[in-house]
Amino acid sequence: MADTPDPVPETRAARRAARDAARSSVTTVLPALATVRRPVAAGATAAFAGLAALAAYGDSRLVLAAAIAFLGLVVIRGWHTLLDAPSARGGAIVLVVSLAALLVAVLGRDGEPWLEQVPTALAVGIIATFLHQLVRKDGRARLSQSIATSAFGLALLASGVCLLPLTDSVAGAEPATVGLGAVGIAAVVDLLVGPPRRTAWLMPLSMLVGGLAALALAAALGGLAAWPLLMGVICAGTSHALRRVLAVLPGISSVQGQLTSAAASVLIVGGLIYTVARILVG
């Protein structure tokens, strides 16, 4: 029986090459658009969140409703274009109708449960979405994409109107002011977008900045508690995540696309703020 040759000892260079190959195989490859700094989107997010926070701080449902309506219209104007969905004009009309129905559903209530009619308004939006598909004259190209885009926009608008009841709840407007303020302050983290390795760390950094900002805002408004930290972390993280998702779309290169992304990233935290406020604050 032939002798088995002794294994060749692995050199240090070979081990280093193996480690580098393993590391590169698990490295996330970001699209080129995801590594481009978008100062307009960051600045608009800070401005829109600040506007909504000030409106909430005023403790008036009508003022806050006007701010939410403005942000909703900013989203509606560029939403289908940003997501490259067909029949953008018809889709925008559907979202305008849905926004009006959602605002009426909440403003029409004068007591608990404030959101009782929101499912009805959402049903109106869903029905309008499918009716829009029936009247399209382009052969209903990319039907699924068109429906999904309108449904996503409807969800953003519904999340935004969830802020309205807080001005009349036991919790008061402080949770909305703190959560929206944290989103606006954490938006500065977007300015650090660059090489993929650095960009990958922006999500936890945004959450950290948002949590600290929420604590500072809560202290300035009347005292320290545990809920502002949670509020700031989840709101800043969710808002940042949506902007990063939209940042890989070709339409984000335009000013309108960045404004749409900014407004959407503010509206999306409305439902989160309402949930945390009702569970942890009262």
Side-chain angles (χ1 to χ4, degrees):
M1 180 177 181
D3 294 335
T4 303
D6 294 333
V8 178
E10 189 177 24
T11 64
R12 183 178 300 177
R15 289 195 298 270
R16 187 183 303 113
R19 287 197 303 269
D20 291 343
R23 188 180 298 115
S24 63
S25 66
V26 298
T27 299
T28 300
V29 178
L30 294 176
L33 284 174
T35 61
V36 177
R37 188 178 294 110
R38 306 291 181 188
V40 173
T45 300
F48 291 156
L51 172 66
L54 289 174
Y57 185 71
D59 210 20
S60 169
R61 268 202 299 164
L62 289 178
V63 173
L64 183 54
I68 292 172
F70 169 72
L71 294 179
L73 291 175
V74 172
V75 171
I76 291 170
R77 181 177 180 182
W79 186 243
H80 286 75
T81 302
L82 177 60
L83 273 67
D84 191 28
S87 191
R89 180 176 298 180
I93 293 174
V94 167
L95 291 182
V96 168
V97 172
S98 302
L99 175 60
L102 288 165
L103 290 173
V104 170
V106 179
L107 293 176
R109 300 285 301 173
D110 56 2
E112 294 283 2
W114 293 104
L115 302 180
E116 184 179 39
Q117 298 303 321
V118 168
T120 303
L122 286 171
V124 171
I126 293 297
I127 292 172
T129 296
F130 284 95
L131 286 177
H132 166 230
Q133 304 306 319
L134 292 177
V135 300
R136 284 175 58 186
K137 298 179 180 180
D138 58 355
R140 288 188 282 277
R142 294 184 288 163
L143 176 63
S144 298
Q145 182 184 1
S146 179
I147 294 175
T149 301
S150 295
F152 192 0
L154 180 58
L156 291 174
L157 299 177
S159 179
V161 300
C162 289
L163 293 169
L164 292 178
L166 293 177
T167 57
D168 295 293
S169 67
V170 175
E174 183 180 355
T177 304
V178 169
L180 292 167
V183 168
I185 294 173
V188 301
V189 174
D190 289 17
L191 299 177
L192 299 178
V193 168
R197 182 169 296 183
R198 185 174 71 199
T199 301
W201 285 96
L202 295 188
M203 178 70 171
L205 179 59
S206 178
M207 296 171 71
L208 174 62
V209 172
L212 296 177
L215 284 175
L217 288 170
L221 291 175
L224 292 176
W227 65 264
L229 179 61
L230 176 63
M231 182 79 78
V233 167
I234 63 175
C235 287
T238 301
S239 180
H240 179 83
L242 180 60
R243 290 194 301 277
R244 299 316 305 151
V245 168
L246 298 178
V248 301
L249 301 176
I252 199 66
S253 300
S254 68
V255 172
Q256 178 178 296
Q258 294 180 58
L259 293 177
T260 300
S261 173
S265 71
V266 174
L267 289 179
I268 197 174
V269 302
L272 296 174
I273 293 174
Y274 179 81
T275 301
V276 173
R278 295 306 298 266
I279 293 176
L280 298 182
V281 184

